[in-house]
Amino acid sequence: MGDQEMRLLFPAAGLAVMAMARLAMADSDVILTTTVNDVTRSFTLEELQALPVERFETITIWTAGPQSFEGVPLAAILDDLGVTEGTVSAQAINDYAVDIPIDEITETTPIIAYHQNGTSMSRRDKGPLWIVYPYDSKPEFQSEAIYSRSIWQMDRLSVK
């Protein structure tokens, strides 16, 4: 059987392979999964970037020198999800989890940072997402409670 005959016999197989590749790519583009009242929603980087953006420069206890961060305020995500009360549970790729009471979240802090110093963060560099506060802007952001909430490699949020 020649190449042309095989192409005529298996065009659907080629289309199926291409469709599966596109679905796999779409799934791999998801960087945040949220769960509220048993309803799950996934966000790509592009979808997060379409939400309000907050930028600031701060010094962290995990990095050297001032760092600039850009991301979506956690409050904007909660607003987008229709959440007004409860506790946010943020989980990392390695299943480390932290809880943040919603009444301690302001309109601009913390942010879910997706850029550090103008570039995307790799898993090796605390990415793809990192909950960050402007630590040196207020003494209350320099506490063990706030530091423990600054979860990196975050990929999941749920509301309890």
Side-chain angles (χ1 to χ4, degrees):
M1 185 177 295
D3 284 345
Q4 187 169 352
E5 290 170 309
M6 289 194 60
R7 279 191 297 249
L8 291 174
L9 286 175
F10 301 107
L15 291 174
V17 168
M18 287 173 34
M20 288 189 307
R22 267 192 241 108
L23 283 175
M25 282 179 25
D27 287 345
S28 68
D29 289 344
V30 169
I31 64 170
L32 178 64
T33 302
T34 62
T35 305
V36 178
N37 298 325
D38 297 323
V39 176
T40 300
R41 180 169 170 201
S42 298
F43 290 87
T44 64
L45 177 59
E46 293 76 20
E47 289 170 324
L48 289 179
Q49 290 173 326
L51 294 170
V53 176
E54 186 70 26
R55 295 174 186 89
F56 54 78
E57 189 172 285
T58 192
I59 294 173
T60 81
I61 62 172
W62 306 278
T63 57
Q67 306 290 306
S68 66
F69 291 97
E70 178 181 312
V72 59
L74 181 53
I77 294 262
L78 297 176
D79 186 52
D80 191 63
L81 296 171
V83 174
T84 58
E85 60 185 19
T87 301
V88 173
S89 179
Q91 290 185 292
I93 293 166
N94 67 357
D95 293 330
Y96 175 77
V98 299
D99 288 338
I100 304 171
I102 288 178
D103 62 354
E104 294 182 22
I105 297 168
T106 71
E107 188 176 323
T108 58
T109 59
I111 67 168
I112 299 174
Y114 44 72
H115 286 151
Q116 180 180 3
N117 299 324
T119 61
S120 296
M121 297 174 284
S122 69
R123 284 186 181 186
R124 177 172 282 172
D125 293 323
K126 300 180 176 39
L129 301 173
W130 182 2
I131 291 184
V132 182
Y133 293 78
Y135 306 102
D136 50 4
S137 70
K138 294 182 181 180
E140 54 265 34
F141 290 149
Q142 299 169 20
S143 70
E144 285 302 313
I146 295 298
Y147 293 146
S148 71
R149 294 175 185 164
S150 301
I151 183 172
W152 54 76
Q153 294 183 330
M154 188 193 68
D155 67 344
R156 289 163 282 166
L157 285 178
S158 60
V159 178
K160 303 179 199 177

